[in-house]
């Protein structure tokens, strides 16, 4: 719409919040008058990396404040205004050159500006990389104070450009603290419908869908979208039946499309879709989800990536050599392991730095979820922070330090937790005492907001032969 109002090629749309506010107001008002209940501020590219292309890297706060004010002015009291965060345009290591912490800082700056501006919600959208979405979501949860919507963008293959499938994205983002998840952009409603069905099946969160008005085509040098408002709105009943509770539009969807959607929704009620996956225990990597528990196969955890008692591996790790680690990771994956345990416990080295490197490299090498195995809270946080999925924490005992330090870190990063019936005095000899010990861990975890499906148990059964 801004292009029809003489937005020049190479000009930042986000800059118009200050440079051409009447145009932004006109667009917002058109959608509000069409019946939209939620508006997204014109801040999709108002992060300092994107703005740096236009010489506006120092205008993050000013542009975000102005954009929110315009959306609020256009929508009035009956419309919720969202802080709109889009991709930086750079991939995070090891897929690209941007570090995870740089991405986090970029989003944190924009989130703080949008929070000051008073948004009603955040919408993190059109993300092709789950790791970039994680950085944005962590920044939003830390510096924002309102609900967060997370929308990934998928290819026709059913995965994002960097390989994440819909269920894996849903599980990862729900555990990390998103309030609503969904998909937007890149595809029309026909192609996004089966993708969103997989998301609905994998999460208990409300789900949002914002397709394009079909696949774009080039006509007379202009990009056009083929679906008319009536053709677009014809998909609304099927989208509602799939379990979607929030519907909108992305590229090519004009105010007329939104008005047609609003008309198509009249008389429809949200549909509850039942799915056994929502109650299952699960872990994720960047590209896969492993379900386990009742009704699922027994899963094997490979525990070879551990320098304890392996002098040669420990010596290699001191030298920064990961050859044996990588060999063992691939061998365990080939042998049928479903999860890989990763331990960086080499005395006398920087274990957080080593864990960061191990997790980065292994996440690129294998498709299996990881279990972060450490007794050091700093090393635990280093591994979980950089991990592009939902990991397992190995492990948490009933010792006060573990409960006070490990559980909050696991909760912050959406990890599952392996509980051990150990106390500061060691393993209780009596089975009843072990059960009571585990209950202490469960109670502490539930008090922090963990769900029961987030918790696993290693019963530490003593063998007859040994004890």
């Amino acid at each position: 719409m801004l292009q029809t109002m003489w937005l020049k090629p190479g000009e930042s749309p986000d800059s118009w919040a200050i440079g051409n506010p009447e145009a932004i107001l006109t667009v917002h008002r058109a959608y509000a008058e069409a019946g939209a209940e939620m508006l997204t501020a014109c801040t999709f590219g108002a992060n300092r990396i994107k703005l740096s292309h236009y010489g506006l890297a120092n205008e993050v706060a000013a542009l975000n404040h102005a954009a929110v004010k315009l959306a609020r002015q256009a929508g009035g009291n009956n419309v919720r205004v969202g802080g709109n965060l889009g991709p930086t345009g750079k991939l995070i290591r090891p897929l690209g050159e941007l570090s995870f912490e740089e991405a986090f800082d970029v989003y944190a700056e924009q989130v703080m500006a949008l929070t000051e501006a008073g948004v009603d919600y955040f919408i993190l959208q059109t993300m092709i990389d789950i790791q970039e979405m994680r950085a944005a979501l962590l920044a939003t949860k830390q510096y924002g104070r309102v609900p967060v919507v997370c929308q990934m963008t998928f290819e026709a293959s059913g995965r994002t450009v960097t390989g994440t499938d819909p269920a894996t994205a849903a599980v990862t983002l729900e555990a990390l603290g998103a309030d609503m998840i969904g998909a937007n952009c890149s595809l029309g409603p026909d192609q996004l419908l089966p993708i969103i069905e997989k998301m609905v099946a994998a999460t208990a969160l409300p789900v949002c869908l914002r397709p394009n008005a079909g696949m774009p085509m080039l006509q007379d040098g202009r990009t056009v979208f083929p679906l008319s408002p009536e053709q677009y709105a014809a998909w609304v009943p099927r989208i509602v039946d799939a379990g979607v509770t929030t519907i909108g539009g992305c590229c090519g969807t004009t105010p007329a499309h939104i008005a047609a959607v609003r008309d198509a929704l009249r008389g429809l009620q949200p549909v509850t879709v039942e799915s056994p996956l929502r109650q299952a225990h699960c872990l994720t990597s960047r590209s896969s989800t492993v379900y386990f528990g009742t009704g699922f196969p027994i899963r094997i955890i490979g525990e070879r990536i551990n320098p304890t008692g392996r002098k040669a591996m420990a010596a290699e790790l001191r030298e920064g050599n990961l050859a044996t680690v990588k060999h063992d990771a691939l061998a365990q994956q080939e042998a049928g392991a479903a999860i890989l345990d990763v331990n960086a416990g080499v005395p006398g080295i920087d274990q957080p730095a080593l864990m960061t490197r191990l997790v980065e490299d292994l996440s690129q090498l294998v498709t299996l979820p990881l279990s972060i195995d450490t007794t050091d809270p700093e090393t635990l946080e280093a591994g979980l922070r950089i991990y592009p999925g939902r990991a397992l924490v190995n492990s948490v005992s009933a010792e006060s330090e573990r409960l006070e330090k490990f559980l909050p870190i696991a909760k912050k990063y959406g990890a599952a937790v392996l509980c051990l019936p150990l106390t500061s005095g060691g393993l209780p000899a009596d089975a009843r005492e072990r059960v009571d010990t585990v209950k202490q861990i469960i109670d502490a975890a539930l008090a922090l907001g963990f769900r029961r499906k987030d918790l696993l148990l290693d019963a530490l059964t003593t063998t007859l032969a040994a004890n």
Side-chain angles (χ1 to χ4, degrees):
M1 290 181 74
L2 295 183
Q3 287 172 345
T4 67
M5 298 176 181
W6 309 288
L7 179 74
K8 299 173 184 175
E11 188 176 8
S12 165
D14 308 278
S15 70
W16 275 29
I18 291 176
N20 196 344
E22 283 302 319
I24 302 295
L25 265 177
T26 298
V27 172
H28 280 315
R29 281 176 178 150
Y31 282 103
E33 289 167 2
E37 296 169 298
M38 303 167 78
L39 295 176
T40 56
C42 188
T43 59
F44 180 74
N47 62 70
R48 70 169 176 261
I49 290 180
K50 278 290 184 72
L51 291 176
S52 67
H53 302 320
Y54 310 100
L56 298 171
N58 294 324
E59 302 300 321
V60 171
L63 289 173
N64 281 275
H65 282 219
V68 172
K69 183 178 179 181
L70 291 170
R72 185 75 69 194
Q73 183 179 340
N77 296 326
N78 297 322
V79 174
R80 297 171 185 167
V81 172
N84 187 1
L85 276 67
T88 63
K90 294 187 176 184
L91 289 174
I92 296 174
R93 290 200 300 255
L95 300 180
E97 296 301 316
L98 189 67
S99 76
F100 185 84
E101 295 307 322
E102 286 173 320
F104 176 86
D105 289 343
V106 166
Y107 286 119
E109 180 184 22
Q110 190 177 6
V111 167
M112 285 187 278
L114 290 167
T115 298
E116 291 172 357
V119 293
D120 299 313
Y121 67 98
F122 284 98
I123 180 163
L124 287 44
Q125 61 169 315
T126 324
M127 298 287 189
I128 64 170
D129 179 17
I130 192 69
Q131 191 70 315
E132 185 167 42
M133 179 65 90
R134 288 183 70 253
L137 179 53
L138 284 169
T140 308
K141 298 297 285 188
Q142 184 166 334
Y143 295 106
R145 296 189 292 269
V146 292
V148 187
V149 181
C150 293
Q151 294 181 330
M152 301 296 295
T153 289
F154 296 90
E155 301 282 284
S157 65
R159 291 181 177 268
T160 68
V161 170
T162 57
T164 303
D165 63 275
T168 296
V171 169
T172 302
L173 297 174
E174 179 180 6
L176 198 58
D179 298 289
M180 179 186 287
I181 60 164
N184 79 296
C185 203
S186 73
L187 302 170
D190 55 336
Q191 291 174 292
L192 276 182
L193 189 60
I195 288 172
I196 211 69
E197 288 173 339
K198 293 186 174 80
M199 283 191 139
V200 169
T203 180
L205 293 179
V207 175
C208 176
L209 183 63
R210 293 170 50 238
N212 288 348
M215 298 298 287
M217 301 180 296
L218 202 62
Q219 290 183 357
D220 300 324
R222 291 192 317 115
T223 300
V224 297
F225 291 82
L227 292 187
S228 69
E230 294 72 26
Q231 290 170 321
Y232 186 82
W235 286 91
V236 167
R238 292 181 61 180
I239 292 171
V240 172
D241 285 342
V244 171
T245 55
T246 305
I247 301 175
C250 204
C251 303
T253 55
T254 65
H257 287 79
I258 298 304
V261 167
R262 191 62 193 262
D263 288 340
L265 283 170
R266 296 189 199 285
L268 298 181
Q269 295 297 320
V271 174
T272 300
V273 177
E274 300 296 334
S275 171
L277 296 181
R278 296 184 195 137
Q279 302 307 318
H281 299 279
C282 54
L283 302 172
T284 68
S285 65
R286 180 191 293 276
S287 58
S288 67
T289 301
V290 172
Y291 293 97
F292 45 94
T294 304
F296 296 94
I298 290 174
R299 305 298 189 183
I300 296 171
I301 301 179
E303 297 213 8
R304 293 286 293 163
I305 304 172
N306 189 333
T308 304
R310 301 185 68 186
K311 293 182 179 179
M313 176 181 280
E316 284 185 2
L317 291 175
R318 284 194 184 92
E319 296 168 358
N321 183 351
L322 302 188
T324 299
V325 166
K326 292 180 177 180
H327 174 272
D328 285 356
L330 290 171
Q332 289 177 106
Q333 178 172 266
E334 186 176 344
I339 301 156
L340 293 185
D341 192 73
V342 181
N343 187 301
V346 180
I349 68 168
D350 185 341
Q351 291 189 24
L354 175 59
M355 181 62 81
T356 297
R357 187 180 172 204
L358 287 171
V359 170
E360 273 192 343
D361 284 28
L362 290 174
S363 297
Q364 183 78 344
L365 182 68
V366 297
T367 61
L368 306 180
L370 300 183
S371 169
I372 308 300
D373 184 358
T374 181
T375 58
D376 175 51
E378 189 179 347
T379 301
L380 176 67
E381 180 151 22
L384 293 180
R385 188 169 180 83
I386 205 70
Y387 181 59
R390 183 177 195 237
L392 174 66
V393 172
N394 182 17
S395 52
V396 173
S397 64
E399 297 161 282
S400 58
E401 183 183 25
R402 289 295 184 97
L403 295 177
E404 293 168 7
K405 293 185 178 180
F406 272 44
L407 284 179
I409 293 171
K411 178 60 180 171
K412 177 180 179 180
Y413 295 103
V417 172
L418 184 68
C419 305
L420 297 182
L422 288 173
T423 68
S424 55
L427 179 66
D430 181 73
R432 184 72 258 164
E433 291 178 48
R434 283 181 230 169
V435 171
D436 291 341
T437 300
V438 170
K439 284 182 176 178
Q440 291 179 36
I441 304 172
I442 293 171
D443 290 344
L446 295 179
L448 286 174
F450 282 88
R451 305 159 297 182
R452 286 188 175 272
K453 70 175 186 176
D454 299 327
L455 307 176
L456 309 176
L457 170 67
D458 183 340
L460 293 181
T461 305
T462 54
T463 65
L464 187 63
N467 194 359

